[in-house]
Amino acid sequence: MPDAQQLKTAVIVEDDPDVRHLLAGVLESAGFSTVSVGNGIDGVRAVLQYQPLITTLDVNMPGIDGFEAARRIRAQSDTYIIMLTALDEEADVVLGLSAGADEYLNKPFRPRELRARIDALLRRPRTAAAAAPVRRQEQSGPSFPGAAAATPPAPVPAENQTFVLSPSTPPSDSASRMTPDVITPTQVVLPPEGGVVAPRADGTWLTHRDLRLNPETRIVLLGDHEVDLTRTEFDLLSALMESKRRVRSKADLTLVLRGESYVTSYFVGEADKRAIEAHMTNLRRKLGDSAAQPRYIETVRGVGYRLTSELTA
């Protein structure tokens, strides 16, 4: 747990000055010193710098949204995250909590209720945080901190290793639980469902019309302009560009975001599918695309999404 001085620190990430002022008043009346910032990027930096006990997060902010900010914060900090937003759909609540939030409170919020929720959080100390350091999340791959094994397994002699993984057959339960560290000396990489990996033009770039995506540097270019995407939006677009014209269902894309693309035994609920729809709406908006007249991503009604044809206007 942080020391006594850090226990009295709270970071407020909110782009509305009036709401920032109200939050500062509530937290300072509870004995916290406050640090206020107006966007997600500065919010992540403030959390890493001040190591607060409490962090409040808005969702709709300039730069990265509150969901992505929560993922980045949770990957590197055990601060209590309270998400404050006008988004009150079930899918938004599920998305916020799965991104790492400890509380999800709708705006307009009641200051006394917020104070009570803060007190309730402080009655549940993070005992696990003192036992092991928080791992830093990798820059690519599924957005699940701590997914890697804490210590690598003992090396297995090459002559004793046999791995036969077929892309057309779902792996067994035991195979699905193997970590990449077990596969030595050669790393096995499965192609996406369907067994076909899209050819990558120009080295590592995936291309579709004037849209280009680099999976290694996680850069997306629309013409000559770079597009600022959240981690989730990038992963969705990457999955679609890998698959080209093959349809990816909402359940399939949910598993991609979880890092469980090749495991079929995980539950995907309606809230997960609605979250995919919300992310796809934001992705299309950033690409200047339209669901009614798609240029890059088209909806296959009742099934999922795929890239448009290269030949259509």
Side-chain angles (χ1 to χ4, degrees):
M1 292 295 292
D3 60 32
Q5 182 177 0
Q6 290 172 320
L7 287 177
K8 306 305 293 181
T9 303
V11 167
I12 300 168
V13 188
E14 169 64 57
D15 63 342
D16 186 324
D18 292 332
V19 177
R20 274 205 308 268
H21 181 73
L22 176 58
L23 287 170
V26 173
L27 289 162
E28 288 169 6
S29 69
F32 288 88
S33 62
T34 60
V35 177
S36 298
V37 296
N39 62 75
I41 293 292
D42 289 342
V44 175
R45 291 172 180 163
V47 169
L48 297 182
Q49 179 177 351
Y50 294 98
Q51 291 297 306
L53 180 63
I54 295 286
T55 299
T56 68
L57 269 180
D58 186 20
V59 172
N60 294 319
M61 297 182 292
I64 63 173
D65 61 22
F67 299 128
E68 178 64 16
R71 293 188 190 96
R72 297 187 187 185
I73 290 171
R74 182 57 70 230
Q76 304 174 76
S77 172
D78 66 344
T79 180
Y80 291 106
I81 298 175
I82 301 176
M83 199 161 275
L84 297 163
T85 173
L87 303 177
D88 58 359
E89 294 291 333
E90 179 189 10
D92 299 314
V93 177
V94 171
L95 191 58
L97 295 175
S98 64
D102 297 283
E103 280 284 358
Y104 192 102
L105 206 56
N106 292 125
K107 293 179 180 177
F109 61 89
R110 292 169 291 193
R112 291 178 62 184
E113 179 184 357
L114 173 61
R115 173 70 181 272
R117 289 180 181 270
I118 292 172
D119 292 341
L121 283 178
L122 300 184
R123 289 196 295 269
R124 305 196 297 268
R126 295 190 185 281
T127 54
V134 178
R135 295 186 184 91
R136 187 176 297 273
Q137 190 174 13
E138 298 297 331
Q139 294 300 311
S140 60
S143 304
F144 289 91
T151 56
V156 180
E159 61 271 15
N160 294 336
Q161 299 182 33
T162 302
F163 296 96
V164 180
L165 300 177
S166 170
S168 60
T169 305
S172 66
D173 290 341
S174 59
S176 69
R177 290 192 295 268
M178 290 191 303
T179 63
D181 295 328
V182 177
I183 305 177
T184 58
T186 303
Q187 178 75 23
V188 177
V189 180
L190 290 176
E193 182 183 338
V196 179
V197 177
R200 295 185 177 182
D202 190 25
T204 59
W205 288 91
L206 294 171
T207 61
H208 179 61
R209 299 189 174 186
D210 58 342
L211 180 63
R212 294 192 296 156
L213 178 147
N214 190 313
E216 296 179 4
T217 61
R218 299 183 71 82
I219 291 175
V220 175
L221 297 177
L222 189 58
D224 296 326
H225 301 286
E226 184 172 346
V227 183
D228 183 19
L229 300 180
T230 66
R231 180 189 297 270
T232 298
E233 292 162 356
F234 182 95
D235 290 343
L236 287 175
L237 181 59
S238 179
L240 292 175
M241 293 188 73
E242 288 276 4
S243 303
K244 293 291 186 181
R245 293 285 290 165
R246 182 166 58 87
V247 180
R248 304 297 294 265
S249 69
K250 296 172 188 175
D252 181 25
L253 292 173
T254 298
L255 295 179
V256 167
L257 297 183
R258 294 181 185 172
E260 300 159 356
S261 312
Y262 312 108
V263 181
T264 58
S265 60
Y266 289 88
F267 175 76
V268 176
E270 289 303 314
D272 298 302
K273 296 177 183 179
R274 288 198 293 272
I276 292 294
E277 294 172 359
H279 287 307
M280 202 61 69
T281 297
N282 291 333
L283 175 59
R284 280 172 162 156
R285 175 177 53 79
K286 291 182 179 181
L287 296 178
D289 205 4
S290 165
Q293 296 181 323
R295 175 171 174 79
Y296 305 108
I297 301 170
E298 66 182 18
T299 302
V300 180
R301 189 173 298 276
V303 183
Y305 304 93
R306 67 182 177 187
L307 292 188
T308 57
S309 171
E310 295 276 4
L311 301 179
T312 57

PDB file of all heavy atoms in Angstrom, residues 214-242:
ATOM      1  N   ASN A 214      -0.251  -0.675 -39.610  1.00  0.00           N
ATOM      2  CA  ASN A 214       0.982  -1.382 -39.298  1.00  0.00           C
ATOM      3  C   ASN A 214       0.831  -2.073 -37.946  1.00  0.00           C
ATOM      4  O   ASN A 214       0.808  -1.409 -36.911  1.00  0.00           O
ATOM      5  CB  ASN A 214       2.162  -0.407 -39.262  1.00  0.00           C
ATOM      6  CG  ASN A 214       3.503  -1.128 -39.184  1.00  0.00           C
ATOM      7  OD1 ASN A 214       3.672  -2.039 -38.386  1.00  0.00           O
ATOM      8  ND2 ASN A 214       4.448  -0.711 -40.013  1.00  0.00           N
ATOM      9  N   PRO A 215       0.708  -3.403 -37.933  1.00  0.00           N
ATOM     10  CA  PRO A 215       0.488  -4.108 -36.657  1.00  0.00           C
ATOM     11  C   PRO A 215       1.661  -4.004 -35.693  1.00  0.00           C
ATOM     12  O   PRO A 215       1.476  -4.126 -34.486  1.00  0.00           O
ATOM     13  CB  PRO A 215       0.278  -5.570 -37.105  1.00  0.00           C
ATOM     14  CG  PRO A 215      -0.078  -5.495 -38.561  1.00  0.00           C
ATOM     15  CD  PRO A 215       0.671  -4.315 -39.083  1.00  0.00           C
ATOM     16  N   GLU A 216       2.868  -3.792 -36.199  1.00  0.00           N
ATOM     17  CA  GLU A 216       4.049  -3.763 -35.341  1.00  0.00           C
ATOM     18  C   GLU A 216       4.194  -2.417 -34.635  1.00  0.00           C
ATOM     19  O   GLU A 216       4.447  -2.351 -33.434  1.00  0.00           O
ATOM     20  CB  GLU A 216       5.297  -4.094 -36.155  1.00  0.00           C
ATOM     21  CG  GLU A 216       5.282  -5.514 -36.720  1.00  0.00           C
ATOM     22  CD  GLU A 216       6.518  -5.821 -37.538  1.00  0.00           C
ATOM     23  OE1 GLU A 216       7.425  -4.962 -37.605  1.00  0.00           O
ATOM     24  OE2 GLU A 216       6.583  -6.924 -38.110  1.00  0.00           O
ATOM     25  N   THR A 217       4.033  -1.328 -35.375  1.00  0.00           N
ATOM     26  CA  THR A 217       4.158   0.006 -34.778  1.00  0.00           C
ATOM     27  C   THR A 217       2.814   0.538 -34.288  1.00  0.00           C
ATOM     28  O   THR A 217       2.767   1.581 -33.645  1.00  0.00           O
ATOM     29  CB  THR A 217       4.739   0.997 -35.797  1.00  0.00           C
ATOM     30  OG1 THR A 217       3.852   1.095 -36.934  1.00  0.00           O
ATOM     31  CG2 THR A 217       6.113   0.531 -36.274  1.00  0.00           C
ATOM     32  N   ARG A 218       1.704  -0.185 -34.629  1.00  0.00           N
ATOM     33  CA  ARG A 218       0.349   0.212 -34.243  1.00  0.00           C
ATOM     34  C   ARG A 218       0.018   1.623 -34.735  1.00  0.00           C
ATOM     35  O   ARG A 218      -0.521   2.461 -34.010  1.00  0.00           O
ATOM     36  CB  ARG A 218       0.146   0.092 -32.725  1.00  0.00           C
ATOM     37  CG  ARG A 218       0.321  -1.340 -32.229  1.00  0.00           C
ATOM     38  CD  ARG A 218       0.062  -1.477 -30.750  1.00  0.00           C
ATOM     39  NE  ARG A 218      -1.338  -1.340 -30.399  1.00  0.00           N
ATOM     40  CZ  ARG A 218      -2.252  -2.322 -30.493  1.00  0.00           C
ATOM     41  NH1 ARG A 218      -1.890  -3.512 -30.951  1.00  0.00           N
ATOM     42  NH2 ARG A 218      -3.496  -2.109 -30.128  1.00  0.00           N
ATOM     43  N   ILE A 219       0.380   1.868 -35.990  1.00  0.00           N
ATOM     44  CA  ILE A 219       0.083   3.139 -36.650  1.00  0.00           C
ATOM     45  C   ILE A 219      -0.974   2.881 -37.723  1.00  0.00           C
ATOM     46  O   ILE A 219      -0.905   1.896 -38.461  1.00  0.00           O
ATOM     47  CB  ILE A 219       1.348   3.744 -37.282  1.00  0.00           C
ATOM     48  CG1 ILE A 219       2.325   4.199 -36.191  1.00  0.00           C
ATOM     49  CG2 ILE A 219       1.003   4.913 -38.208  1.00  0.00           C
ATOM     50  CD1 ILE A 219       3.649   4.692 -36.728  1.00  0.00           C
ATOM     51  N   VAL A 220      -1.958   3.785 -37.820  1.00  0.00           N
ATOM     52  CA  VAL A 220      -2.982   3.723 -38.858  1.00  0.00           C
ATOM     53  C   VAL A 220      -2.922   5.014 -39.662  1.00  0.00           C
ATOM     54  O   VAL A 220      -2.933   6.113 -39.094  1.00  0.00           O
ATOM     55  CB  VAL A 220      -4.389   3.548 -38.252  1.00  0.00           C
ATOM     56  CG1 VAL A 220      -5.455   3.609 -39.341  1.00  0.00           C
ATOM     57  CG2 VAL A 220      -4.488   2.230 -37.503  1.00  0.00           C
ATOM     58  N   LEU A 221      -2.833   4.873 -40.975  1.00  0.00           N
ATOM     59  CA  LEU A 221      -2.780   6.027 -41.868  1.00  0.00           C
ATOM     60  C   LEU A 221      -3.989   6.012 -42.789  1.00  0.00           C
ATOM     61  O   LEU A 221      -4.318   4.986 -43.396  1.00  0.00           O
ATOM     62  CB  LEU A 221      -1.502   6.012 -42.703  1.00  0.00           C
ATOM     63  CG  LEU A 221      -0.171   6.125 -41.963  1.00  0.00           C
ATOM     64  CD1 LEU A 221       0.999   6.024 -42.942  1.00  0.00           C
ATOM     65  CD2 LEU A 221      -0.094   7.438 -41.190  1.00  0.00           C
ATOM     66  N   LEU A 222      -4.662   7.146 -42.907  1.00  0.00           N
ATOM     67  CA  LEU A 222      -5.747   7.338 -43.851  1.00  0.00           C
ATOM     68  C   LEU A 222      -5.249   8.350 -44.871  1.00  0.00           C
ATOM     69  O   LEU A 222      -5.161   9.540 -44.583  1.00  0.00           O
ATOM     70  CB  LEU A 222      -6.995   7.838 -43.130  1.00  0.00           C
ATOM     71  CG  LEU A 222      -8.289   7.897 -43.948  1.00  0.00           C
ATOM     72  CD1 LEU A 222      -8.639   6.539 -44.514  1.00  0.00           C
ATOM     73  CD2 LEU A 222      -9.428   8.432 -43.099  1.00  0.00           C
ATOM     74  N   GLY A 223      -4.859   7.854 -46.052  1.00  0.00           N
ATOM     75  CA  GLY A 223      -4.126   8.703 -46.981  1.00  0.00           C
ATOM     76  C   GLY A 223      -2.761   8.992 -46.384  1.00  0.00           C
ATOM     77  O   GLY A 223      -2.004   8.084 -46.070  1.00  0.00           O
ATOM     78  N   ASP A 224      -2.452  10.265 -46.197  1.00  0.00           N
ATOM     79  CA  ASP A 224      -1.182  10.669 -45.589  1.00  0.00           C
ATOM     80  C   ASP A 224      -1.339  11.100 -44.140  1.00  0.00           C
ATOM     81  O   ASP A 224      -0.374  11.566 -43.525  1.00  0.00           O
ATOM     82  CB  ASP A 224      -0.550  11.819 -46.398  1.00  0.00           C
ATOM     83  CG  ASP A 224      -0.191  11.395 -47.813  1.00  0.00           C
ATOM     84  OD1 ASP A 224       0.179  10.224 -47.990  1.00  0.00           O
ATOM     85  OD2 ASP A 224      -0.306  12.234 -48.730  1.00  0.00           O
ATOM     86  N   HIS A 225      -2.540  10.955 -43.584  1.00  0.00           N
ATOM     87  CA  HIS A 225      -2.808  11.450 -42.234  1.00  0.00           C
ATOM     88  C   HIS A 225      -2.929  10.285 -41.259  1.00  0.00           C
ATOM     89  O   HIS A 225      -3.585   9.279 -41.543  1.00  0.00           O
ATOM     90  CB  HIS A 225      -4.092  12.283 -42.209  1.00  0.00           C
ATOM     91  CG  HIS A 225      -4.057  13.474 -43.127  1.00  0.00           C
ATOM     92  ND1 HIS A 225      -3.326  14.615 -42.855  1.00  0.00           N
ATOM     93  CD2 HIS A 225      -4.642  13.695 -44.339  1.00  0.00           C
ATOM     94  CE1 HIS A 225      -3.480  15.490 -43.837  1.00  0.00           C
ATOM     95  NE2 HIS A 225      -4.272  14.949 -44.754  1.00  0.00           N
ATOM     96  N   GLU A 226      -2.283  10.433 -40.107  1.00  0.00           N
ATOM     97  CA  GLU A 226      -2.364   9.397 -39.086  1.00  0.00           C
ATOM     98  C   GLU A 226      -3.689   9.519 -38.332  1.00  0.00           C
ATOM     99  O   GLU A 226      -4.139  10.610 -38.007  1.00  0.00           O
ATOM    100  CB  GLU A 226      -1.196   9.522 -38.104  1.00  0.00           C
ATOM    101  CG  GLU A 226      -1.156   8.405 -37.070  1.00  0.00           C
ATOM    102  CD  GLU A 226       0.110   8.429 -36.228  1.00  0.00           C
ATOM    103  OE1 GLU A 226       1.073   9.148 -36.620  1.00  0.00           O
ATOM    104  OE2 GLU A 226       0.136   7.743 -35.185  1.00  0.00           O
ATOM    105  N   VAL A 227      -4.314   8.369 -38.064  1.00  0.00           N
ATOM    106  CA  VAL A 227      -5.582   8.307 -37.352  1.00  0.00           C
ATOM    107  C   VAL A 227      -5.314   7.883 -35.907  1.00  0.00           C
ATOM    108  O   VAL A 227      -4.645   6.874 -35.671  1.00  0.00           O
ATOM    109  CB  VAL A 227      -6.551   7.308 -38.017  1.00  0.00           C
ATOM    110  CG1 VAL A 227      -7.899   7.306 -37.296  1.00  0.00           C
ATOM    111  CG2 VAL A 227      -6.738   7.646 -39.485  1.00  0.00           C
ATOM    112  N   ASP A 228      -5.834   8.665 -34.963  1.00  0.00           N
ATOM    113  CA  ASP A 228      -5.621   8.375 -33.542  1.00  0.00           C
ATOM    114  C   ASP A 228      -6.717   7.429 -33.052  1.00  0.00           C
ATOM    115  O   ASP A 228      -7.863   7.823 -32.884  1.00  0.00           O
ATOM    116  CB  ASP A 228      -5.645   9.680 -32.739  1.00  0.00           C
ATOM    117  CG  ASP A 228      -5.358   9.457 -31.258  1.00  0.00           C
ATOM    118  OD1 ASP A 228      -4.793   8.394 -30.933  1.00  0.00           O
ATOM    119  OD2 ASP A 228      -5.691  10.337 -30.445  1.00  0.00           O
ATOM    120  N   LEU A 229      -6.368   6.156 -32.839  1.00  0.00           N
ATOM    121  CA  LEU A 229      -7.322   5.146 -32.385  1.00  0.00           C
ATOM    122  C   LEU A 229      -6.971   4.677 -30.979  1.00  0.00           C
ATOM    123  O   LEU A 229      -5.804   4.674 -30.591  1.00  0.00           O
ATOM    124  CB  LEU A 229      -7.313   3.929 -33.327  1.00  0.00           C
ATOM    125  CG  LEU A 229      -7.669   4.161 -34.793  1.00  0.00           C
ATOM    126  CD1 LEU A 229      -7.613   2.841 -35.545  1.00  0.00           C
ATOM    127  CD2 LEU A 229      -9.036   4.801 -34.940  1.00  0.00           C
ATOM    128  N   THR A 230      -7.977   4.280 -30.242  1.00  0.00           N
ATOM    129  CA  THR A 230      -7.734   3.632 -28.962  1.00  0.00           C
ATOM    130  C   THR A 230      -7.212   2.222 -29.222  1.00  0.00           C
ATOM    131  O   THR A 230      -7.275   1.712 -30.348  1.00  0.00           O
ATOM    132  CB  THR A 230      -9.014   3.548 -28.119  1.00  0.00           C
ATOM    133  OG1 THR A 230      -9.943   2.670 -28.780  1.00  0.00           O
ATOM    134  CG2 THR A 230      -9.646   4.916 -27.937  1.00  0.00           C
ATOM    135  N   ARG A 231      -6.702   1.577 -28.173  1.00  0.00           N
ATOM    136  CA  ARG A 231      -6.191   0.212 -28.315  1.00  0.00           C
ATOM    137  C   ARG A 231      -7.289  -0.714 -28.848  1.00  0.00           C
ATOM    138  O   ARG A 231      -7.053  -1.538 -29.736  1.00  0.00           O
ATOM    139  CB  ARG A 231      -5.674  -0.303 -26.966  1.00  0.00           C
ATOM    140  CG  ARG A 231      -5.130  -1.726 -27.018  1.00  0.00           C
ATOM    141  CD  ARG A 231      -4.840  -2.233 -25.620  1.00  0.00           C
ATOM    142  NE  ARG A 231      -3.804  -1.452 -24.973  1.00  0.00           N
ATOM    143  CZ  ARG A 231      -2.504  -1.736 -25.058  1.00  0.00           C
ATOM    144  NH1 ARG A 231      -2.106  -2.775 -25.762  1.00  0.00           N
ATOM    145  NH2 ARG A 231      -1.617  -0.988 -24.438  1.00  0.00           N
ATOM    146  N   THR A 232      -8.488  -0.590 -28.304  1.00  0.00           N
ATOM    147  CA  THR A 232      -9.588  -1.458 -28.717  1.00  0.00           C
ATOM    148  C   THR A 232      -9.949  -1.226 -30.174  1.00  0.00           C
ATOM    149  O   THR A 232     -10.140  -2.180 -30.942  1.00  0.00           O
ATOM    150  CB  THR A 232     -10.815  -1.212 -27.826  1.00  0.00           C
ATOM    151  OG1 THR A 232     -10.482  -1.544 -26.476  1.00  0.00           O
ATOM    152  CG2 THR A 232     -11.993  -2.058 -28.266  1.00  0.00           C
ATOM    153  N   GLU A 233     -10.055   0.035 -30.576  1.00  0.00           N
ATOM    154  CA  GLU A 233     -10.385   0.350 -31.969  1.00  0.00           C
ATOM    155  C   GLU A 233      -9.320  -0.173 -32.912  1.00  0.00           C
ATOM    156  O   GLU A 233      -9.625  -0.716 -33.979  1.00  0.00           O
ATOM    157  CB  GLU A 233     -10.562   1.859 -32.128  1.00  0.00           C
ATOM    158  CG  GLU A 233     -11.784   2.418 -31.406  1.00  0.00           C
ATOM    159  CD  GLU A 233     -11.723   3.913 -31.194  1.00  0.00           C
ATOM    160  OE1 GLU A 233     -10.692   4.542 -31.529  1.00  0.00           O
ATOM    161  OE2 GLU A 233     -12.710   4.472 -30.674  1.00  0.00           O
ATOM    162  N   PHE A 234      -8.050  -0.041 -32.526  1.00  0.00           N
ATOM    163  CA  PHE A 234      -6.970  -0.549 -33.369  1.00  0.00           C
ATOM    164  C   PHE A 234      -7.073  -2.067 -33.513  1.00  0.00           C
ATOM    165  O   PHE A 234      -6.939  -2.603 -34.627  1.00  0.00           O
ATOM    166  CB  PHE A 234      -5.606  -0.171 -32.782  1.00  0.00           C
ATOM    167  CG  PHE A 234      -4.444  -0.624 -33.626  1.00  0.00           C
ATOM    168  CD1 PHE A 234      -3.864   0.225 -34.556  1.00  0.00           C
ATOM    169  CD2 PHE A 234      -3.934  -1.915 -33.509  1.00  0.00           C
ATOM    170  CE1 PHE A 234      -2.803  -0.203 -35.349  1.00  0.00           C
ATOM    171  CE2 PHE A 234      -2.880  -2.351 -34.294  1.00  0.00           C
ATOM    172  CZ  PHE A 234      -2.314  -1.485 -35.217  1.00  0.00           C
ATOM    173  N   ASP A 235      -7.300  -2.775 -32.409  1.00  0.00           N
ATOM    174  CA  ASP A 235      -7.374  -4.232 -32.461  1.00  0.00           C
ATOM    175  C   ASP A 235      -8.542  -4.701 -33.324  1.00  0.00           C
ATOM    176  O   ASP A 235      -8.428  -5.696 -34.053  1.00  0.00           O
ATOM    177  CB  ASP A 235      -7.497  -4.802 -31.048  1.00  0.00           C
ATOM    178  CG  ASP A 235      -6.217  -4.636 -30.240  1.00  0.00           C
ATOM    179  OD1 ASP A 235      -5.158  -4.388 -30.856  1.00  0.00           O
ATOM    180  OD2 ASP A 235      -6.263  -4.745 -29.001  1.00  0.00           O
ATOM    181  N   LEU A 236      -9.678  -4.006 -33.256  1.00  0.00           N
ATOM    182  CA  LEU A 236     -10.818  -4.358 -34.097  1.00  0.00           C
ATOM    183  C   LEU A 236     -10.490  -4.152 -35.574  1.00  0.00           C
ATOM    184  O   LEU A 236     -10.761  -5.024 -36.417  1.00  0.00           O
ATOM    185  CB  LEU A 236     -12.039  -3.531 -33.715  1.00  0.00           C
ATOM    186  CG  LEU A 236     -12.726  -3.884 -32.395  1.00  0.00           C
ATOM    187  CD1 LEU A 236     -13.851  -2.892 -32.113  1.00  0.00           C
ATOM    188  CD2 LEU A 236     -13.265  -5.301 -32.419  1.00  0.00           C
ATOM    189  N   LEU A 237      -9.920  -2.992 -35.901  1.00  0.00           N
ATOM    190  CA  LEU A 237      -9.573  -2.708 -37.289  1.00  0.00           C
ATOM    191  C   LEU A 237      -8.529  -3.688 -37.802  1.00  0.00           C
ATOM    192  O   LEU A 237      -8.609  -4.167 -38.935  1.00  0.00           O
ATOM    193  CB  LEU A 237      -9.063  -1.269 -37.420  1.00  0.00           C
ATOM    194  CG  LEU A 237      -8.685  -0.812 -38.839  1.00  0.00           C
ATOM    195  CD1 LEU A 237      -9.882  -0.930 -39.776  1.00  0.00           C
ATOM    196  CD2 LEU A 237      -8.155   0.615 -38.817  1.00  0.00           C
ATOM    197  N   SER A 238      -7.538  -4.022 -36.977  1.00  0.00           N
ATOM    198  CA  SER A 238      -6.507  -4.973 -37.378  1.00  0.00           C
ATOM    199  C   SER A 238      -7.113  -6.341 -37.684  1.00  0.00           C
ATOM    200  O   SER A 238      -6.763  -6.985 -38.682  1.00  0.00           O
ATOM    201  CB  SER A 238      -5.452  -5.090 -36.274  1.00  0.00           C
ATOM    202  OG  SER A 238      -4.455  -6.033 -36.638  1.00  0.00           O
ATOM    203  N   ALA A 239      -8.045  -6.786 -36.835  1.00  0.00           N
ATOM    204  CA  ALA A 239      -8.689  -8.084 -37.065  1.00  0.00           C
ATOM    205  C   ALA A 239      -9.460  -8.092 -38.377  1.00  0.00           C
ATOM    206  O   ALA A 239      -9.403  -9.060 -39.144  1.00  0.00           O
ATOM    207  CB  ALA A 239      -9.624  -8.415 -35.899  1.00  0.00           C
ATOM    208  N   LEU A 240     -10.168  -6.997 -38.680  1.00  0.00           N
ATOM    209  CA  LEU A 240     -10.931  -6.927 -39.924  1.00  0.00           C
ATOM    210  C   LEU A 240     -10.010  -6.866 -41.139  1.00  0.00           C
ATOM    211  O   LEU A 240     -10.284  -7.492 -42.167  1.00  0.00           O
ATOM    212  CB  LEU A 240     -11.857  -5.716 -39.901  1.00  0.00           C
ATOM    213  CG  LEU A 240     -13.013  -5.772 -38.896  1.00  0.00           C
ATOM    214  CD1 LEU A 240     -13.787  -4.458 -38.898  1.00  0.00           C
ATOM    215  CD2 LEU A 240     -13.947  -6.935 -39.202  1.00  0.00           C
ATOM    216  N   MET A 241      -8.906  -6.130 -41.035  1.00  0.00           N
ATOM    217  CA  MET A 241      -7.996  -6.016 -42.175  1.00  0.00           C
ATOM    218  C   MET A 241      -7.234  -7.314 -42.402  1.00  0.00           C
ATOM    219  O   MET A 241      -6.874  -7.635 -43.538  1.00  0.00           O
ATOM    220  CB  MET A 241      -7.049  -4.830 -41.975  1.00  0.00           C
ATOM    221  CG  MET A 241      -7.770  -3.492 -42.013  1.00  0.00           C
ATOM    222  SD  MET A 241      -6.691  -2.045 -42.016  1.00  0.00           S
ATOM    223  CE  MET A 241      -6.035  -2.103 -43.694  1.00  0.00           C
ATOM    224  N   GLU A 242      -6.974  -8.067 -41.361  1.00  0.00           N
ATOM    225  CA  GLU A 242      -6.377  -9.395 -41.528  1.00  0.00           C
ATOM    226  C   GLU A 242      -7.338 -10.326 -42.258  1.00  0.00           C
ATOM    227  O   GLU A 242      -6.928 -11.157 -43.069  1.00  0.00           O
ATOM    228  CB  GLU A 242      -6.031  -9.985 -40.155  1.00  0.00           C
ATOM    229  CG  GLU A 242      -4.845  -9.342 -39.455  1.00  0.00           C
ATOM    230  CD  GLU A 242      -3.514  -9.917 -39.894  1.00  0.00           C
ATOM    231  OE1 GLU A 242      -3.521 -10.774 -40.807  1.00  0.00           O
ATOM    232  OE2 GLU A 242      -2.489  -9.502 -39.338  1.00  0.00           O
TER     233      GLU A 242
END
